[in-house]
Amino acid sequence: MDVVLGNGKVKVKISYTEKRQEIYQRFLAFITPYFLPESDSDDIDLFLNLEAETEFSDEYKALCVNEHVIRVSSAEAFNIKLMRGELPDGTHLAWHERDLTGYAFVQQSKTMTMYASNSSFIHLIEFFRYYMLLIEAGKGSLLLHASAVENVKSGNIIAICGVKGAGKTSTML
């Protein structure tokens, strides 16, 4: 299944299999209303393919021998440390054993294949968020790195700003 999502500045085309429909729906709920379905499929900034983690072969996993830290947080669930490798054709691979999540991409392309399990949600939102932020910044947007929470009784919002990894989300939680 294919869907194009956009926010008026950035567009992504997501292709997913029926096995990954649940994580796609969860992802869509997370990014709505910031990204909404679009009918126009011109000028796509990212082609994101969601495959089942079982499709990331043992051969690919065996190539992933170099440690690479993606995200460090004071909350363990948000830490992402991958093992990376490369195919002879230049395709970069990464595998995260704890969350059974794989990645395959070619640098300078607009395509990422994510091999997602039911534990891959943090990978999906982190990849999407940072990739889209980089594209948007490149298109002239000013970005604020923050986390926020609403007091349901008063309606007041508390926003916490800081650099990546400072503990904004952990503090909010």
Side-chain angles (χ1 to χ4, degrees):
M1 294 173 237
D2 296 332
V3 64
V4 175
L5 302 171
N7 68 356
K9 194 165 234 182
V10 177
K11 280 192 225 174
V12 59
K13 181 176 183 178
I14 301 177
S15 299
Y16 60 97
T17 63
E18 193 170 321
K19 288 182 178 180
R20 292 301 117 215
Q21 175 135 359
E22 182 180 326
I23 198 166
Y24 169 74
Q25 291 300 328
R26 190 173 168 206
F27 171 71
L28 187 60
F30 182 82
I31 65 169
T32 301
Y34 310 106
F35 280 80
L36 297 170
E38 292 194 5
S39 57
D40 179 17
S41 61
D42 292 335
D43 300 321
I44 302 294
D45 296 294
L46 170 66
F47 296 89
L48 178 58
N49 303 310
L50 293 178
E51 299 283 343
E53 77 282 4
T54 54
E55 299 298 315
F56 196 82
S57 70
D58 288 338
E59 173 191 345
Y60 284 7
K61 290 175 194 174
L63 292 170
C64 295
V65 295
N66 300 310
E67 188 174 280
H68 187 81
V69 176
I70 299 293
R71 188 175 200 283
V72 176
S73 171
S74 57
E76 179 60 32
F78 293 107
N79 290 334
I80 302 175
K81 183 172 29 174
L82 306 169
M83 300 304 290
R84 290 189 59 181
E86 189 173 335
L87 291 172
D89 70 0
T91 300
H92 292 267
L93 303 170
W95 178 249
H96 189 264
E97 184 64 34
R98 179 192 73 198
D99 296 334
L100 302 176
T101 305
Y103 301 79
F105 63 96
V106 175
Q107 284 186 321
Q108 307 302 320
S109 78
K110 294 181 176 183
T111 302
M112 164 68 85
T113 300
M114 184 176 287
Y115 299 85
S117 72
N118 290 334
S119 301
S120 299
F121 187 66
I122 187 70
H123 293 263
L124 182 56
I125 62 173
E126 287 298 301
F127 169 74
F128 186 81
R129 178 168 53 177
Y130 288 109
Y131 191 91
M132 292 300 124
L133 288 175
L134 289 171
I135 291 172
E136 227 180 284
K139 291 184 175 189
S141 292
L142 178 64
L143 304 173
L144 174 64
H145 204 80
S147 186
V149 64
E150 177 184 11
N151 182 319
V152 294
K153 291 181 182 177
S154 69
N156 292 335
I157 306 288
I158 297 172
I160 303 167
C161 300
V163 297
K164 181 179 174 183
K168 298 174 300 298
T169 301
S170 298
T171 301
M172 178 190 68
L173 293 172

